[in-house]
Amino acid sequence: MTNPSRSPRPRRLSILGAAGLTFPVVAAVLSAPSVSAATAPTTTGPATGFEETVLASGDTVTVFPEEGHVSVSPAPGREDVRFTSVRSGGRHLVLPADARAAAAGAGGGPEAYDLSGTAAPMALADDGCGECHELRIRHVGPDGEPTDGAESLVLGLDGDVLEFAGGSAEAALTLPEGRYMLVTDITDFSDPDADWHRLVHPLLALDGDSEVLMDATTTRPVGTDPGVEDAEAALVEVGVENRRGGAPVSVSLQTDDFSGLHTAQVGPAETVDGLTSFVASTWAHRGDDGGFLGAPSSHHLLDTVEGSFPTGYDRTVAPGDLAVLTADHLAQTPGHGATKALFGTAPGVSHTATVFLPHTLPSTTVHHLEAGEVMWSSAFGENRVEDDGTVRDVTALGSVPRSYEAGEEYAERWNASVIGPMFLWSEHGVRTGDELWFGMPMYSDQDRHQGGSRTDSSSIRLFQDGALVGESSTGHLSADLAPGDSELRVESRTTRESFSDLSTRVEAVWTVSSSTPESGQERLPLWLVRYQPDVDARNTVDARGLLRLPFSVESQPGSAPGRVEEVTVEASADDGRTWDQVRVVERGDGGYTALVRLPRRDGEYLSLRARLSDSEGSTLEQTIIRALRLSD
C-alpha cells in the first residue's frame, strides 16, 4: 500500500477472488527501466507469504499465491499508465499500455508479463495445430482510416490459445479451428491521455478462413455520474468474462477515469450465453493536497451486463440506488495512517480491480456501495512513515465477502482491540493421516477481521509426546507425525515491539490428544479466547476502578472438543513481569466477563493471559502483552 497523503495518486490493486487479505503488502519503490527490455519478471518471495514481481516495464506486481490476489504498483513517473489484465488458460498477464508491443514479442514476449509462475511456454496459435484457418484482422481508427495504432488479443475458448496481433492496419493469424474471443484496443499507446477505443468480439466461430473488421468509429463513449457533487474517479475498470468454453477467460482495462474511453461490441447481435461484462468505478473527493486523504465518503460501483459487451455506456446513479456503510477506523499506534480498499464480485464476474484510498487514524468514512447481488469485501492496513520517508504497512486486515441492500444503512468497525488470534475457517490445525498442517492469524481485530502484522520475531513449534517434530518461522507449519495415539503441543509465538504499541507479544500454546485418522482428516480440538472490551477510537479503556472485560471462548470449527471445564484470566500492568488473577463470571449467553481491578500504580497498558482446559484434556495458554491502552 502506498501513502497518498505523500503521493496524490492512489495505488491500484487487482483482486483475483474474494478471500480476505491475510498479509500486509509493501509496494517497492523502484526505478523504471526501458519498457522494451527483453527481461522476464523478477520475483521474490518474502516470508510473509506473498511474491513481488517486477515486470519488464518496471511496474511492480504483488501476488498472493494462495488467495490469488494481485496488486499493481506503477513505477515512479508511470502513475497514469493504463493496464490490461488478461486471464486465460491458467495464466494471468498484466500488460502496461506502453508495453503492449513488447508483450507481443518485441521485448521479451508475453512471458515477461505473465504472473502465473509457470515455466511452460505460452500456448500460442503458431505452435502447430491440426485443422487450421486464417483469421485476418483489419484495424480502423476513429477517423475511419486504417491505423497502425492498434493491438488485438485472440483468446481461445476451446483451448489454451493466446495470440497477439497489432502494430499494423492488418494482421493475419493461423489458428486452430474453434471458438475465440477477440479484444482490440485502438489508441496511441505511448500517450496516457489519448482516447482509448476497446472493441470486443465475444464469440468468433473459426471454421474457415475469416476476416474481422475492428472499427473504432463504431465505439461510443463510456461514462458514469456517481450522483455526488465534486467527486472524482480514483479508478475505472471495464471488463468482460467469457465462460462459453471449458475455462473462463477474461480481459479488463484499468484506468484512472472515464476520459476518452469508448467501447463497442463486434459480431453477433444476439445474446452470448456465458458472457458477462462489467463497468466498475471508485469515487472520492480530493483534498487540498490533491490526494484523497481524509475523504469523508467514497462510492464503489459495479454494474454488470449479461450476454454482451456494451457499445458505449452511460449511467447516472440515483439516490437510493446504493447501500450506505459507515466505517469507523480505529488507531493502534498514534501517528500511524491507513489505507483501505473495497473490492467486488458479482455473478459472472470473478474478479475486479480496486484502489487503496488513504485515511487518517482514527477516522470515520461512509462507503456508498453497489447493492443487490454484488459481494463486497475489504482490505485495511495501518501504516507508518519510515525514517527514509518511505511508507510501510504495519498490519493488514481483511473481511469476508457479503452483499448489501439498496437504500439500507450499515455500520462496521476496523482495527479494534484486543488484537489477537482468531479462527476464520475449519483448517487452522488439520491432521491428514500422519501429516499435520497448522496456521493461525495472530493479529485479527475484535470485529473478526482476519489479520496479519509485520513482526520482529515469529515462530511455530510442534511437539509430539514431548519431542520436537517441526518448527517454522513463516506463519504456518507442515510436519510429519509418528502414527498412532500421542499428545501434541503447538506453540505459536510472535513479537512486534518495533511496529506497534498494542499486542506487542502474542503467544498461544495448545496441548491436544491426537491419533492417526482412520480416514479423511482430523481437525485438532484447539481453543481460543476472544476479548470484547469497550474501547474508544484510540483503543483505550477507562483506567479508573473496575474494568468489566467481556470475552468468549471458541473452538476450531469442525473439530470435536470436550466441554470447557475451567477458564482463568490474569492481568498485568507491567508488560507481563507480574500477573494478578482476576475473577471470571460466566454470563447467561455462554460468554464470560473478567472483572479486572485496575492498579492504582502507574501503568499505560493492560496485558492479559488466559488459560483453558476441557473435559478431553485439551488445554490453551494464551498471552497478549499490551492488549489494551489505559486512559490517563
Side-chain angles (χ1 to χ4, degrees), residues 110-250:
E111 285 82 3
Y113 300 88
D114 183 6
L115 309 177
S116 59
T118 177
M122 190 73 67
L124 301 176
D126 57 10
D127 288 343
C129 59
E131 181 112 18
C132 292
H133 305 290
E134 183 181 83
L135 174 63
R136 187 169 295 275
I137 306 169
R138 292 172 51 210
H139 300 132
V140 173
D143 59 357
E145 298 296 323
T147 180
D148 294 340
E151 295 286 346
S152 290
L153 295 168
V154 182
L155 300 98
L157 301 178
D158 298 320
D160 184 10
V161 175
L162 174 59
E163 186 65 88
F164 295 78
S168 61
E170 235 180 71
L173 301 172
T174 300
L175 300 169
E177 184 170 299
R179 297 173 301 173
Y180 295 88
M181 182 169 73
L182 174 61
V183 178
T184 296
D185 292 313
I186 297 176
T187 186
D188 180 350
F189 291 96
S190 65
D191 181 0
D193 296 322
D195 285 0
W196 190 290
H197 303 265
R198 172 154 288 187
L199 301 100
V200 174
H201 193 310
L203 185 60
L204 174 64
L206 189 65
D207 52 10
D209 293 348
S210 301
E211 181 177 282
V212 177
L213 176 65
M214 306 301 276
D215 184 354
T217 66
T218 65
T219 64
R220 297 294 179 266
V222 176
T224 293
D225 179 353
V228 57
E229 189 175 354
D230 297 329
E232 292 189 29
L235 179 67
V236 170
E237 183 180 27
V238 178
V240 57
E241 184 167 324
N242 196 325
R243 301 170 305 284
R244 186 65 178 263
V249 299
S250 64

Side-chain angles (χ1 to χ4, degrees), residues 566-581:
E566 184 178 26
V567 181
T568 63
V569 175
E570 297 171 282
S572 172
D574 57 9
D575 292 348
R577 288 185 290 273
T578 61
W579 294 93
D580 296 316
Q581 187 161 330

